[in-house]
Amino acid sequence: MEKSLFDRYGGFSTVSKIVLDLYDRLLDDDDVGPFFDEIDMARIVDHQTKFVSSLMGGPASYTDDQIRKMHAHLAIDPEHFERLEEILRATLSDHGVAPEDIEAITGAFAARRPLVVEKER
């Protein structure tokens, strides 16, 4: 049986490093950083570690309804989503994730776009 990306890249230990770096980058970004101004960062990093793990085939998961509810109060435009995806790609690459695996992870991420982008809801 083939290992999941989650297992191949080292599980929660590696994913948590990627997510911490991702949020450092997101917070510094002028376009998406303001979304996190009033957010409990420890809580969101925990949630995002589980979410990215799920994108990589790990044990955590969120339902579409949970994802929709978590983002319903935010005015996320297509441009914000695209910027976040761009930063995610760069972060994964900088952590040694292979290009084909980046495509798989960002493809799973993009599949959830209609759940979070306001203009597409």
Side-chain angles (χ1 to χ4, degrees):
M1 181 175 183
E2 187 176 326
K3 282 184 166 184
S4 68
L5 295 178
F6 176 80
D7 290 328
R8 284 199 341 234
Y9 285 100
F12 281 116
S13 174
T14 300
V15 174
S16 66
K17 290 174 188 166
I18 291 169
V19 170
L20 285 170
D21 187 13
L22 174 66
Y23 273 91
D24 283 344
R25 297 174 192 217
L26 292 174
L27 290 170
D28 286 343
D29 188 81
D30 292 336
D31 294 325
V32 294
F35 283 101
F36 306 101
D37 285 345
E38 303 296 322
I39 301 294
D40 176 353
M41 290 310 296
R43 185 169 177 246
I44 198 165
V45 166
D46 178 60
H47 284 293
Q48 284 294 65
T49 299
K50 292 172 185 169
F51 179 66
V52 173
S53 295
S54 73
L55 297 178
M56 296 175 74
S61 67
Y62 288 99
T63 66
D64 288 354
D65 191 49
Q66 288 172 310
I67 294 169
R68 190 178 293 109
K69 284 180 182 177
M70 284 188 261
H71 297 89
H73 67 286
L74 302 170
I76 300 173
D77 290 332
E79 297 79 17
H80 297 129
F81 190 92
E82 289 157 12
R83 180 66 181 137
L84 192 141
E85 184 176 341
E86 180 182 316
I87 294 169
L88 175 60
R89 284 177 178 279
T91 305
L92 291 167
S93 178
D94 289 349
H95 282 266
V97 177
E100 62 273 12
D101 296 337
I102 291 172
E103 291 306 313
I105 295 164
T106 57
F109 174 73
R112 278 108 176 141
R113 178 186 174 121
L115 305 173
V116 300
V117 175
E118 184 173 272
K119 291 181 181 177
E120 295 177 13
R121 280 190 238 148

